[in-house]
Amino acid sequence: MKVIDFVLNILWLIFCGIWMAIGYVIAGIICCVLIITIPFGIASFRIAGYVLWPFGRTVVERRDAGAASCVGNVIWLVFAGWWLAIAHFLTSIPLFLSIIGIPFGWANLKMIPISLTPLGREIVSTDQRFAGW
């Protein structure tokens, strides 16, 4: 399974991963420049790594996330989340139009929830998905 994940990640990187990761890095830099939004910048950089190399990893909700992450997600959604979600949607359209890109289009659409609400979530290996999370 690791070989398949590696091949899928390479294809993903070529077709859409690098462009989406650049979008998240730009959002992270903007958030880090504004001192008060540094936690959003850190979350954006974390998601950029996931968007760059997604296969073999998954997103789980953190059990210790509280009300602060909920409030932070609302702020993130208003200022950056919807832009990134639109980018995921628009990137998935040409992938769906090609036969080989359909699985990557679905993977792109599956990333929309974390682009909208990144706080209170953690990116883990698919092997660790059910191990105490």
Side-chain angles (χ1 to χ4, degrees):
M1 204 58 162
K2 299 286 183 187
V3 174
I4 293 173
D5 288 340
F6 179 76
V7 171
L8 288 172
N9 279 322
I10 294 295
L11 291 171
W12 172 266
L13 184 68
I14 293 168
F15 289 119
C16 63
I18 190 76
W19 308 113
M20 291 306 302
I22 289 171
Y24 280 99
V25 168
I26 290 170
I29 290 171
I30 291 170
C31 288
C32 285
V33 167
L34 308 168
I35 303 299
I36 198 164
T37 56
I38 288 177
F40 300 118
I42 293 169
S44 185
F45 293 139
R46 184 172 38 95
I47 299 169
Y50 175 62
V51 168
L52 202 58
W53 205 256
F55 295 98
R57 299 192 293 171
T58 189
V59 178
V60 295
E61 290 188 24
R62 292 180 52 188
R63 292 185 182 168
D64 60 344
S69 66
C70 182
V71 171
N73 279 331
V74 171
I75 295 169
W76 172 265
L77 177 68
V78 170
F79 291 106
W82 67 280
W83 285 102
L84 295 167
I86 289 172
H88 277 293
F89 179 74
L90 292 177
T91 304
S92 71
I93 291 172
L95 292 169
F96 279 122
L97 293 177
S98 69
I99 302 256
I100 195 167
I102 291 172
F104 298 119
W106 278 117
N108 219 345
L109 291 180
K110 287 182 181 179
M111 291 185 186
I112 290 176
I114 194 168
S115 71
L116 292 173
T117 56
L119 302 176
R121 296 179 185 228
E122 184 136 11
I123 298 163
V124 298
S125 171
T126 52
D127 300 335
Q128 297 175 340
R129 173 176 39 189
F130 299 113
W133 292 101

